[in-house]
Amino acid sequence: MPARPGMQIETPKTLTEIVVERLRQAIIDGHFVFGENISEDKLATVFGVSRSPVRDALNALQFTGLVTIIPKRGSFVFVPTAEEVGEICDYRLMLEREALRLSMDANREGFLAALDDAVERMRERMLAGDEIGYVRIDTEFHNLFFDHCGNSLVQNAFHLVEARIATIRTALNARFKQRREDSFDQHVAIVEGLRQGDWETVHDVLGKHITSIRADAIDELSRLDPLA
């Protein structure tokens, strides 16, 4: 007999999967900074688990690009080079422009409503001075482009760099009030451009939005000593 909707029992997550999720979010939220040594012992203590699931989690996150494992030295939060930041931003701009078009074609009103809701919550977090909360919703705003696009290939392409984009966003927006304010205005302009069908403005604002992140990220990363 086929299972009826709502009757399926979800398989419990493994300890490794839980550690992967929590470590991924901790890196994205900036609790571990670019280049920070995140040893197995340190993480096992932080998460209250043995080293085995931590080791597996680090290997999994190395595959996503969030973690760099150097033999005989340890595991570190990734530090993108200027060239890598440029490649990520070019890739992101290409994907986001296409995802916006697909989302507007697939469900214009539902997509705009979701963007409006995200913008309003960003406004609330910004006024409350909640930097991390603001950046999390900023990430959600851009993820909506792909959630609504209806194309699994485009979604999968974005997932390749999603975590690294979110981490770079946090490193910039969570620290600099002026950047958050400029970023918020750009999000508002993108939604209004979409509502008006003004694709020239949408592409222009999105391009400036991503280009500014690229320039600021490269400037900020130039102050770091990679994996020092």
Side-chain angles (χ1 to χ4, degrees), residues 35-209:
E36 183 173 346
N37 187 329
I38 45 175
S39 69
E40 291 179 11
D41 288 339
K42 176 180 180 178
L43 293 177
T45 299
V46 168
F47 294 124
V49 298
S50 68
R51 292 175 59 185
S52 180
V54 169
R55 185 181 306 115
D56 292 340
L58 288 169
N59 286 327
L61 290 175
Q62 180 179 220
F63 180 76
T64 71
L66 275 186
V67 170
T68 300
I69 299 177
I70 302 178
K72 298 182 180 180
R73 288 195 60 189
S75 302
F76 303 83
V77 177
F78 83 113
V79 181
T81 64
E83 180 180 4
E84 289 169 338
V85 169
E87 290 177 349
I88 288 172
C89 288
D90 288 343
Y91 185 73
R92 176 187 170 190
L93 180 58
M94 175 183 66
L95 289 177
E96 290 199 10
R97 281 177 171 172
E98 183 60 17
L100 279 173
R101 182 187 67 80
L102 290 170
S103 293
M104 289 294 285
D105 288 345
N107 181 13
R108 181 182 186 278
E109 295 308 317
F111 179 49
L112 288 175
L115 293 179
D116 283 337
D117 176 69
V119 166
E120 186 55 36
R121 288 185 289 119
M122 288 169 67
R123 187 195 311 276
E124 292 172 355
R125 293 300 89 211
M126 185 170 63
L127 293 175
D130 179 1
E131 294 90 352
I132 295 300
Y134 175 88
V135 177
R136 282 184 175 180
I137 303 171
D138 186 341
T139 292
E140 180 185 329
F141 177 92
H142 290 275
N143 288 355
L144 286 170
F145 300 3
F146 300 91
D147 294 343
H148 288 257
C149 77
N151 187 308
S152 61
L153 294 178
V154 173
Q155 291 167 341
N156 290 338
F158 175 66
H159 289 328
L160 290 173
V161 295
E162 176 187 0
R164 281 174 285 173
I165 290 171
T167 304
I168 292 170
R169 179 183 292 119
T170 299
L172 298 176
N173 284 350
R175 290 181 53 193
F176 304 111
K177 183 173 183 291
Q178 185 59 53
R179 161 157 280 287
R180 288 195 300 277
E181 292 174 352
D182 292 344
S183 168
F184 178 78
D185 291 342
Q186 290 166 343
H187 287 85
V188 172
I190 287 170
V191 177
E192 186 57 29
L194 289 172
R195 182 168 281 109
Q196 298 298 326
D198 184 355
W199 285 101
E200 182 177 353
T201 293
V202 171
H203 288 166
D204 180 61
V205 174
L206 183 63
K208 289 178 179 177
H209 181 66

Side-chain angles (χ1 to χ4, degrees), residues 11 105 210 226:
T11 303
D105 288 345
I210 293 177

